[in-house]
Amino acid sequence: MEKILNHPLIKHKISILRDEKTTTKEFRELISEIAMFLCYEALSDAKTYDKKIKTPIMETTGQIINEDNYAFVPILRAGMGMVDGVLKVMPNAKIGHIGLYRNEETLEPVKYYYKLPKNIESKEVFLLDPMLATGGSAVNAITMLKNDGVKKIKFLCIIAAQEGINKIKEIHPDVDIYIANLDEGLNNIGYIYPGLGDAGDRIYGTK
Ligand code: PRP
Ligand code: URA
């Protein structure tokens, strides 16, 4: 399943994000804010348990999410930009890291770091990366998580190309994809258009 956020506020924020004149500070803030909305949407089927609470008026039953059941896993570098935002929504979730970069000629992902929270196999993982282009990085990261026993994975991205969505759906059809905006396509060097350029470079001010 893929869910594309279709909301004027998201469109507004993405338009500012795309603008090449947007500063590094503002770019980071927007990535984090949009990630927060993606996380909100991805939690819409979260299980809750009942808890008795007392308001200043009376006793009632509240619904609580067990935050310990969740882990956020950003794909480095650019995925790190989404961590602040998702932690605002779920501050007690655990964090793992998968380091991947795309070889600029082959566009194949290259792994350089991998560290996950303990008991990851019993948690639902929200895998974070702002850009889903060819889908190579996301598919590789999902395979690594599954090899470590993770059974429930959601992929959260800000901008996606249809090629990347198709690749995840073909290889990992059980993974739900949450997308802030579906763009027009991929250019001949594997960049999303109209896109926003290189997300990692814009978050960190490199290049
Ligand atoms: C970018 C992006 C994704 C990947 C998407 O990372 O953050 O991880 O490319 O492309 P794909 O769908 O074709 O695999 P990049 O390789 O630029 O590394 P960085 O985050 O370190 O800048
Ligand atoms: N990675 C990026 O950062 N941007 C793209 O457009 C494609 C992959």
Side-chain angles (χ1 to χ4, degrees):
M1 179 286 276
E2 78 263 28
K3 163 89 193 177
I4 301 171
L5 302 186
N6 196 7
H7 193 287
L9 182 64
I10 300 294
K11 291 183 198 298
H12 166 78
K13 287 186 184 292
I14 286 197
S15 302
I16 305 171
L17 197 64
R18 290 190 196 282
D19 190 334
E20 63 179 7
K21 293 200 195 77
T22 295
T23 62
T24 304
K25 172 180 182 286
E26 205 179 356
F27 191 88
R28 267 189 217 128
E29 288 167 356
L30 286 161
I31 290 278
S32 170
E33 282 170 23
I34 298 167
M36 187 172 74
F37 293 118
L38 282 167
C39 189
Y40 169 83
E41 191 61 40
L43 284 167
S44 57
D45 64 353
K47 288 200 175 55
T48 57
Y49 62 90
D50 288 350
K51 188 180 176 199
K52 289 249 178 301
I53 50 171
K54 195 164 172 299
T55 78
I57 310 297
M58 60 177 281
E59 274 204 353
T60 185
T61 305
Q63 280 80 47
I64 305 290
I65 295 175
N66 185 353
E67 294 187 37
D68 210 34
N69 288 341
Y70 290 87
F72 298 128
V73 178
I75 300 179
L76 307 179
R77 286 176 303 169
M80 278 302 290
M82 298 171 74
V83 172
D84 273 11
V86 294
L87 280 178
K88 285 211 173 84
V89 184
M90 246 233 291
N92 291 305
K94 303 288 183 288
I95 315 275
H97 295 88
I98 298 180
L100 292 179
Y101 68 87
R102 284 199 315 179
N103 175 306
E104 282 179 10
E105 263 112 56
T106 64
L107 299 182
E108 287 300 316
V110 181
K111 175 178 168 185
Y112 61 91
Y113 190 75
Y114 188 76
K115 181 92 180 165
L116 298 182
K118 64 175 184 312
N119 302 329
I120 193 72
E121 65 287 348
S122 64
K123 298 187 194 298
E124 177 166 342
V125 169
F126 287 6
L127 183 64
L128 311 172
D129 195 325
M131 308 305 279
L132 176 63
T134 67
S137 306
V139 161
N140 259 258
I142 294 166
T143 303
M144 289 175 211
L145 292 171
K146 287 187 175 175
N147 287 344
D148 265 353
V150 180
K151 284 162 216 70
K152 186 132 197 236
I153 303 169
K154 289 180 175 170
F155 181 70
L156 278 54
C157 65
I158 293 184
I159 306 244
Q162 192 61 51
E163 289 88 332
I165 298 174
N166 294 349
K167 189 156 185 176
I168 296 181
K169 285 172 81 171
E170 184 198 328
I171 302 176
H172 296 297
D174 54 314
V175 172
D176 291 340
I177 313 169
Y178 292 81
I179 303 159
N181 200 78
L182 173 61
D183 269 23
E184 288 170 38
L186 284 182
N187 69 14
N188 60 356
I189 53 164
Y191 272 80
I192 298 174
Y193 68 86
L196 46 73
D198 187 304
D201 282 339
R202 293 197 65 188
I203 292 169
Y204 297 107
T206 42
K207 276 201 190 142

